[in-house]
Amino acid sequence: MEEKIMHAILAKPGKDPEILLLPTEGLKHEEAIRDILDGNYGAVEFFKIEDGISLFILINDLSIVLGLKPNRRFPPPDNKQIIFGKAIFIAAYNGEIPETEGTIDMPENICRIFIEQIKKNFPLCTGNEKPTKRDKIYYDNKGQNNERAFIWKEIKRPENPGIPVIAGRVNFYGHETQEIMEINNRFFKKIIMKKK
């Protein structure tokens, strides 16, 4: 049986964006995106294509922690924000229409139009850009009374980290605190920041 595929756009650091073919079947689709982005990912809605459908940018949600290379800057007024690591531009339902969800195939000619717009509006990084201190801060319970700010600090592999809690491509150790994280055979400790 022939595997169904869909079109998206891949932007790698230092390179022009290119058309990306992804499998459409649920688990294979998710795993292919994780493989390309080298881990778990987050999505940012970039702009609305039409009612109910938007172009999203998918990036590794730990790209700063992993020290991935700078890729492109967002267009103004967000041009201080940098995409680190690879990025996938993909069409998906945006939640405006009930009972619709998931990603959508973009025909090749539409991909080429978006590629030109990405090249024009997302300036290529020089390669020397560094994340800001703010970029390195993560939050537990953001916006709630028990909100905690923290950073991830790389450590040596613990001798006996215990049984992991698996979250996609990340393993967390410490069942209550999840204070140690393992990704791509690298270990990081959660360092809670003091409130100012």
Side-chain angles (χ1 to χ4, degrees), residues 107-119:
E108 194 170 321
N109 63 321
I110 300 298
C111 286
R112 298 210 181 281
I113 291 169
F114 284 148
I115 284 172
E116 288 309 310
Q117 290 302 310
I118 293 165
K119 286 161 67 174

mmCIF file with all atom_site columns, all heavy atoms in Angstrom, residues 107-119:
data_model
loop_
_atom_site.group_PDB
_atom_site.id
_atom_site.type_symbol
_atom_site.label_atom_id
_atom_site.label_alt_id
_atom_site.label_comp_id
_atom_site.label_asym_id
_atom_site.label_entity_id
_atom_site.label_seq_id
_atom_site.pdbx_PDB_ins_code
_atom_site.Cartn_x
_atom_site.Cartn_y
_atom_site.Cartn_z
_atom_site.occupancy
_atom_site.B_iso_or_equiv
_atom_site.pdbx_formal_charge
_atom_site.auth_seq_id
_atom_site.auth_comp_id
_atom_site.auth_asym_id
_atom_site.auth_atom_id
_atom_site.pdbx_PDB_model_num
ATOM 1   N N   . PRO A 1 107 ? -0.404 22.372 -1.780 1.00 0.00 ? 107 PRO A N   1
ATOM 2   C CA  . PRO A 1 107 ? 0.107  22.024 -3.112 1.00 0.00 ? 107 PRO A CA  1
ATOM 3   C C   . PRO A 1 107 ? 1.491  22.634 -3.331 1.00 0.00 ? 107 PRO A C   1
ATOM 4   O O   . PRO A 1 107 ? 1.845  23.654 -2.739 1.00 0.00 ? 107 PRO A O   1
ATOM 5   C CB  . PRO A 1 107 ? -0.921 22.643 -4.063 1.00 0.00 ? 107 PRO A CB  1
ATOM 6   C CG  . PRO A 1 107 ? -2.148 22.839 -3.240 1.00 0.00 ? 107 PRO A CG  1
ATOM 7   C CD  . PRO A 1 107 ? -1.686 23.060 -1.834 1.00 0.00 ? 107 PRO A CD  1
ATOM 8   N N   . GLU A 1 108 ? 2.265  21.997 -4.206 1.00 0.00 ? 108 GLU A N   1
ATOM 9   C CA  . GLU A 1 108 ? 3.647  22.413 -4.437 1.00 0.00 ? 108 GLU A CA  1
ATOM 10  C C   . GLU A 1 108 ? 3.756  23.879 -4.855 1.00 0.00 ? 108 GLU A C   1
ATOM 11  O O   . GLU A 1 108 ? 4.648  24.599 -4.402 1.00 0.00 ? 108 GLU A O   1
ATOM 12  C CB  . GLU A 1 108 ? 4.282  21.506 -5.497 1.00 0.00 ? 108 GLU A CB  1
ATOM 13  C CG  . GLU A 1 108 ? 5.771  21.626 -5.557 1.00 0.00 ? 108 GLU A CG  1
ATOM 14  C CD  . GLU A 1 108 ? 6.414  20.557 -6.418 1.00 0.00 ? 108 GLU A CD  1
ATOM 15  O OE1 . GLU A 1 108 ? 5.975  19.389 -6.386 1.00 0.00 ? 108 GLU A OE1 1
ATOM 16  O OE2 . GLU A 1 108 ? 7.365  20.920 -7.127 1.00 0.00 ? 108 GLU A OE2 1
ATOM 17  N N   . ASN A 1 109 ? 2.824  24.343 -5.706 1.00 0.00 ? 109 ASN A N   1
ATOM 18  C CA  . ASN A 1 109 ? 2.904  25.740 -6.159 1.00 0.00 ? 109 ASN A CA  1
ATOM 19  C C   . ASN A 1 109 ? 2.674  26.712 -5.004 1.00 0.00 ? 109 ASN A C   1
ATOM 20  O O   . ASN A 1 109 ? 3.285  27.783 -4.940 1.00 0.00 ? 109 ASN A O   1
ATOM 21  C CB  . ASN A 1 109 ? 1.925  26.012 -7.311 1.00 0.00 ? 109 ASN A CB  1
ATOM 22  C CG  . ASN A 1 109 ? 0.478  25.843 -6.912 1.00 0.00 ? 109 ASN A CG  1
ATOM 23  O OD1 . ASN A 1 109 ? 0.122  24.935 -6.150 1.00 0.00 ? 109 ASN A OD1 1
ATOM 24  N ND2 . ASN A 1 109 ? -0.389 26.694 -7.405 1.00 0.00 ? 109 ASN A ND2 1
ATOM 25  N N   . ILE A 1 110 ? 1.806  26.348 -4.051 1.00 0.00 ? 110 ILE A N   1
ATOM 26  C CA  . ILE A 1 110 ? 1.576  27.187 -2.868 1.00 0.00 ? 110 ILE A CA  1
ATOM 27  C C   . ILE A 1 110 ? 2.825  27.181 -1.987 1.00 0.00 ? 110 ILE A C   1
ATOM 28  O O   . ILE A 1 110 ? 3.232  28.217 -1.450 1.00 0.00 ? 110 ILE A O   1
ATOM 29  C CB  . ILE A 1 110 ? 0.341  26.708 -2.071 1.00 0.00 ? 110 ILE A CB  1
ATOM 30  C CG1 . ILE A 1 110 ? -0.925 26.771 -2.932 1.00 0.00 ? 110 ILE A CG1 1
ATOM 31  C CG2 . ILE A 1 110 ? 0.160  27.503 -0.790 1.00 0.00 ? 110 ILE A CG2 1
ATOM 32  C CD1 . ILE A 1 110 ? -1.306 28.151 -3.424 1.00 0.00 ? 110 ILE A CD1 1
ATOM 33  N N   . CYS A 1 111 ? 3.458  26.025 -1.848 1.00 0.00 ? 111 CYS A N   1
ATOM 34  C CA  . CYS A 1 111 ? 4.707  25.936 -1.079 1.00 0.00 ? 111 CYS A CA  1
ATOM 35  C C   . CYS A 1 111 ? 5.749  26.888 -1.655 1.00 0.00 ? 111 CYS A C   1
ATOM 36  O O   . CYS A 1 111 ? 6.441  27.589 -0.918 1.00 0.00 ? 111 CYS A O   1
ATOM 37  C CB  . CYS A 1 111 ? 5.260  24.512 -1.083 1.00 0.00 ? 111 CYS A CB  1
ATOM 38  S SG  . CYS A 1 111 ? 4.373  23.354 -0.032 1.00 0.00 ? 111 CYS A SG  1
ATOM 39  N N   . ARG A 1 112 ? 5.854  26.929 -2.976 1.00 0.00 ? 112 ARG A N   1
ATOM 40  C CA  . ARG A 1 112 ? 6.860  27.794 -3.625 1.00 0.00 ? 112 ARG A CA  1
ATOM 41  C C   . ARG A 1 112 ? 6.562  29.270 -3.367 1.00 0.00 ? 112 ARG A C   1
ATOM 42  O O   . ARG A 1 112 ? 7.490  30.063 -3.154 1.00 0.00 ? 112 ARG A O   1
ATOM 43  C CB  . ARG A 1 112 ? 6.936  27.493 -5.107 1.00 0.00 ? 112 ARG A CB  1
ATOM 44  C CG  . ARG A 1 112 ? 7.385  26.065 -5.379 1.00 0.00 ? 112 ARG A CG  1
ATOM 45  C CD  . ARG A 1 112 ? 8.151  25.883 -6.662 1.00 0.00 ? 112 ARG A CD  1
ATOM 46  N NE  . ARG A 1 112 ? 8.519  24.483 -6.837 1.00 0.00 ? 112 ARG A NE  1
ATOM 47  C CZ  . ARG A 1 112 ? 9.532  23.882 -6.224 1.00 0.00 ? 112 ARG A CZ  1
ATOM 48  N NH1 . ARG A 1 112 ? 10.289 24.567 -5.400 1.00 0.00 ? 112 ARG A NH1 1
ATOM 49  N NH2 . ARG A 1 112 ? 9.805  22.620 -6.441 1.00 0.00 ? 112 ARG A NH2 1
ATOM 50  N N   . ILE A 1 113 ? 5.288  29.630 -3.355 1.00 0.00 ? 113 ILE A N   1
ATOM 51  C CA  . ILE A 1 113 ? 4.913  31.021 -3.038 1.00 0.00 ? 113 ILE A CA  1
ATOM 52  C C   . ILE A 1 113 ? 5.321  31.346 -1.601 1.00 0.00 ? 113 ILE A C   1
ATOM 53  O O   . ILE A 1 113 ? 5.921  32.396 -1.342 1.00 0.00 ? 113 ILE A O   1
ATOM 54  C CB  . ILE A 1 113 ? 3.395  31.237 -3.245 1.00 0.00 ? 113 ILE A CB  1
ATOM 55  C CG1 . ILE A 1 113 ? 3.052  31.176 -4.739 1.00 0.00 ? 113 ILE A CG1 1
ATOM 56  C CG2 . ILE A 1 113 ? 2.943  32.563 -2.635 1.00 0.00 ? 113 ILE A CG2 1
ATOM 57  C CD1 . ILE A 1 113 ? 1.569  31.102 -5.033 1.00 0.00 ? 113 ILE A CD1 1
ATOM 58  N N   . PHE A 1 114 ? 5.025  30.433 -0.667 1.00 0.00 ? 114 PHE A N   1
ATOM 59  C CA  . PHE A 1 114 ? 5.379  30.661 0.737  1.00 0.00 ? 114 PHE A CA  1
ATOM 60  C C   . PHE A 1 114 ? 6.899  30.678 0.926  1.00 0.00 ? 114 PHE A C   1
ATOM 61  O O   . PHE A 1 114 ? 7.418  31.440 1.750  1.00 0.00 ? 114 PHE A O   1
ATOM 62  C CB  . PHE A 1 114 ? 4.733  29.624 1.650  1.00 0.00 ? 114 PHE A CB  1
ATOM 63  C CG  . PHE A 1 114 ? 3.265  29.844 1.890  1.00 0.00 ? 114 PHE A CG  1
ATOM 64  C CD1 . PHE A 1 114 ? 2.413  28.775 2.095  1.00 0.00 ? 114 PHE A CD1 1
ATOM 65  C CD2 . PHE A 1 114 ? 2.722  31.120 1.927  1.00 0.00 ? 114 PHE A CD2 1
ATOM 66  C CE1 . PHE A 1 114 ? 1.054  28.975 2.334  1.00 0.00 ? 114 PHE A CE1 1
ATOM 67  C CE2 . PHE A 1 114 ? 1.369  31.329 2.168  1.00 0.00 ? 114 PHE A CE2 1
ATOM 68  C CZ  . PHE A 1 114 ? 0.529  30.247 2.367  1.00 0.00 ? 114 PHE A CZ  1
ATOM 69  N N   . ILE A 1 115 ? 7.616  29.847 0.187  1.00 0.00 ? 115 ILE A N   1
ATOM 70  C CA  . ILE A 1 115 ? 9.085  29.835 0.285  1.00 0.00 ? 115 ILE A CA  1
ATOM 71  C C   . ILE A 1 115 ? 9.643  31.211 -0.061 1.00 0.00 ? 115 ILE A C   1
ATOM 72  O O   . ILE A 1 115 ? 10.521 31.739 0.632  1.00 0.00 ? 115 ILE A O   1
ATOM 73  C CB  . ILE A 1 115 ? 9.694  28.729 -0.610 1.00 0.00 ? 115 ILE A CB  1
ATOM 74  C CG1 . ILE A 1 115 ? 9.496  27.363 0.069  1.00 0.00 ? 115 ILE A CG1 1
ATOM 75  C CG2 . ILE A 1 115 ? 11.184 28.986 -0.872 1.00 0.00 ? 115 ILE A CG2 1
ATOM 76  C CD1 . ILE A 1 115 ? 9.880  26.165 -0.780 1.00 0.00 ? 115 ILE A CD1 1
ATOM 77  N N   . GLU A 1 116 ? 9.135  31.810 -1.121 1.00 0.00 ? 116 GLU A N   1
ATOM 78  C CA  . GLU A 1 116 ? 9.593  33.153 -1.503 1.00 0.00 ? 116 GLU A CA  1
ATOM 79  C C   . GLU A 1 116 ? 9.270  34.171 -0.417 1.00 0.00 ? 116 GLU A C   1
ATOM 80  O O   . GLU A 1 116 ? 10.071 35.062 -0.129 1.00 0.00 ? 116 GLU A O   1
ATOM 81  C CB  . GLU A 1 116 ? 8.975  33.572 -2.838 1.00 0.00 ? 116 GLU A CB  1
ATOM 82  C CG  . GLU A 1 116 ? 9.552  32.819 -4.032 1.00 0.00 ? 116 GLU A CG  1
ATOM 83  C CD  . GLU A 1 116 ? 11.085 32.838 -4.081 1.00 0.00 ? 116 GLU A CD  1
ATOM 84  O OE1 . GLU A 1 116 ? 11.678 33.935 -3.956 1.00 0.00 ? 116 GLU A OE1 1
ATOM 85  O OE2 . GLU A 1 116 ? 11.693 31.758 -4.217 1.00 0.00 ? 116 GLU A OE2 1
ATOM 86  N N   . GLN A 1 117 ? 8.096  34.037 0.209  1.00 0.00 ? 117 GLN A N   1
ATOM 87  C CA  . GLN A 1 117 ? 7.709  34.953 1.281  1.00 0.00 ? 117 GLN A CA  1
ATOM 88  C C   . GLN A 1 117 ? 8.577  34.755 2.533  1.00 0.00 ? 117 GLN A C   1
ATOM 89  O O   . GLN A 1 117 ? 8.928  35.722 3.214  1.00 0.00 ? 117 GLN A O   1
ATOM 90  C CB  . GLN A 1 117 ? 6.223  34.777 1.633  1.00 0.00 ? 117 GLN A CB  1
ATOM 91  C CG  . GLN A 1 117 ? 5.277  35.260 0.556  1.00 0.00 ? 117 GLN A CG  1
ATOM 92  C CD  . GLN A 1 117 ? 5.506  36.728 0.229  1.00 0.00 ? 117 GLN A CD  1
ATOM 93  O OE1 . GLN A 1 117 ? 5.567  37.571 1.110  1.00 0.00 ? 117 GLN A OE1 1
ATOM 94  N NE2 . GLN A 1 117 ? 5.651  37.031 -1.053 1.00 0.00 ? 117 GLN A NE2 1
ATOM 95  N N   . ILE A 1 118 ? 8.938  33.511 2.822  1.00 0.00 ? 118 ILE A N   1
ATOM 96  C CA  . ILE A 1 118 ? 9.819  33.223 3.964  1.00 0.00 ? 118 ILE A CA  1
ATOM 97  C C   . ILE A 1 118 ? 11.191 33.848 3.716  1.00 0.00 ? 118 ILE A C   1
ATOM 98  O O   . ILE A 1 118 ? 11.753 34.520 4.595  1.00 0.00 ? 118 ILE A O   1
ATOM 99  C CB  . ILE A 1 118 ? 9.931  31.703 4.215  1.00 0.00 ? 118 ILE A CB  1
ATOM 100 C CG1 . ILE A 1 118 ? 8.589  31.142 4.690  1.00 0.00 ? 118 ILE A CG1 1
ATOM 101 C CG2 . ILE A 1 118 ? 11.029 31.394 5.234  1.00 0.00 ? 118 ILE A CG2 1
ATOM 102 C CD1 . ILE A 1 118 ? 8.479  29.633 4.622  1.00 0.00 ? 118 ILE A CD1 1
ATOM 103 N N   . LYS A 1 119 ? 11.727 33.649 2.515  1.00 0.00 ? 119 LYS A N   1
ATOM 104 C CA  . LYS A 1 119 ? 13.034 34.221 2.177  1.00 0.00 ? 119 LYS A CA  1
ATOM 105 C C   . LYS A 1 119 ? 13.014 35.749 2.279  1.00 0.00 ? 119 LYS A C   1
ATOM 106 O O   . LYS A 1 119 ? 13.981 36.367 2.727  1.00 0.00 ? 119 LYS A O   1
ATOM 107 C CB  . LYS A 1 119 ? 13.441 33.788 0.772  1.00 0.00 ? 119 LYS A CB  1
ATOM 108 C CG  . LYS A 1 119 ? 13.888 32.333 0.707  1.00 0.00 ? 119 LYS A CG  1
ATOM 109 C CD  . LYS A 1 119 ? 13.861 31.766 -0.691 1.00 0.00 ? 119 LYS A CD  1
ATOM 110 C CE  . LYS A 1 119 ? 14.849 32.368 -1.617 1.00 0.00 ? 119 LYS A CE  1
ATOM 111 N NZ  . LYS A 1 119 ? 14.862 31.677 -2.939 1.00 0.00 ? 119 LYS A NZ  1
#
